[in-house]
Amino acid sequence: MHVHSYEKIWLALGLGLILLLIGSVTYGAVGPGVAMVAADEPTVDPTALDEDERFADPRVEQVGENEYEAYVVAYQFGFEPDPIVVPANSTVTFMVTSRDVTHGFEVVGTNANTMVIPGEVSTLTVETSEPTEYGIICNEYCGAAHHGMEGKLEVVP
Ligand code: CUA
């Protein structure tokens, strides 16, 4: 009888651990995804970008003395605007969304890199220094011409 009740305790403990594990896995899978959309990433209707104030006319806008916002649309197979022209020695926040499928937005040779998901706005802020030119590439497979999907970032004086 004694042994039997110990077994029950271990069984209950084991079951508890399994439930905990399932709980943490579920939380891990759902938690960050929800947080990204709700907290930092404003959403957007990918089928109505023409009606969106930010993305109807993809552009770079000055928002402060040395601060700019770049509204960028990724599509099969390019980026708009192209080139993206920003001033040297400034802070630029990119807001990137997709018109169709999931793309990537990577400024080659820098750590500026994000995934671009339809319906979400990916934001990333960079500091520019010297005038120069960067390539922009897509690093999420997005279709037949994925490897040719390129843009340009020009940092001008
Ligand atoms: Cu867009 Cu790969």
Side-chain angles (χ1 to χ4, degrees):
M1 279 317 266
H2 233 71
V3 174
H4 189 71
S5 62
Y6 269 123
E7 272 179 357
K8 268 190 178 165
I9 289 169
W10 282 115
L11 234 125
L13 275 174
L15 199 70
L17 272 174
I18 287 167
L19 285 176
L20 255 171
L21 202 72
I22 290 171
S24 66
V25 166
T26 308
Y27 179 77
V30 175
V34 171
M36 264 179 66
V37 177
D40 295 303
E41 319 259 318
T43 54
V44 64
D45 180 354
T47 62
L49 291 185
D50 325 352
E51 287 152 37
D52 189 279
E53 196 205 316
R54 296 158 295 175
F55 300 108
D57 174 27
R59 67 200 180 275
V60 176
E61 223 173 71
Q62 185 164 15
V63 294
E65 201 185 333
N66 278 312
E67 281 176 54
Y68 296 81
E69 283 181 357
Y71 308 106
V72 179
V73 174
Y75 62 93
Q76 286 168 312
F77 295 97
F79 300 94
E80 252 184 285
D82 188 18
I84 301 168
V85 181
V86 297
N89 304 305
S90 63
T91 303
V92 183
T93 299
F94 291 93
M95 299 189 190
V96 194
T97 195
S98 169
R99 172 188 299 165
D100 37 48
V101 300
T102 297
H103 295 282
F105 177 89
E106 179 179 352
V107 182
V108 179
T110 75
N111 64 355
N113 183 17
T114 187
M115 201 188 245
V116 183
I117 299 162
E120 294 184 16
V121 180
S122 300
T123 66
L124 61 101
T125 301
V126 306
E127 306 279 338
T128 65
S129 49
E130 307 282 292
T132 183
E133 207 178 278
Y134 295 99
I136 296 172
I137 57 165
C138 170
N139 46 33
E140 294 293 323
Y141 183 77
C142 56
H146 157 73
H147 293 285
M149 179 167 169
E150 288 173 351
K152 210 178 271 178
L153 174 66
E154 287 178 13
V155 181
V156 299

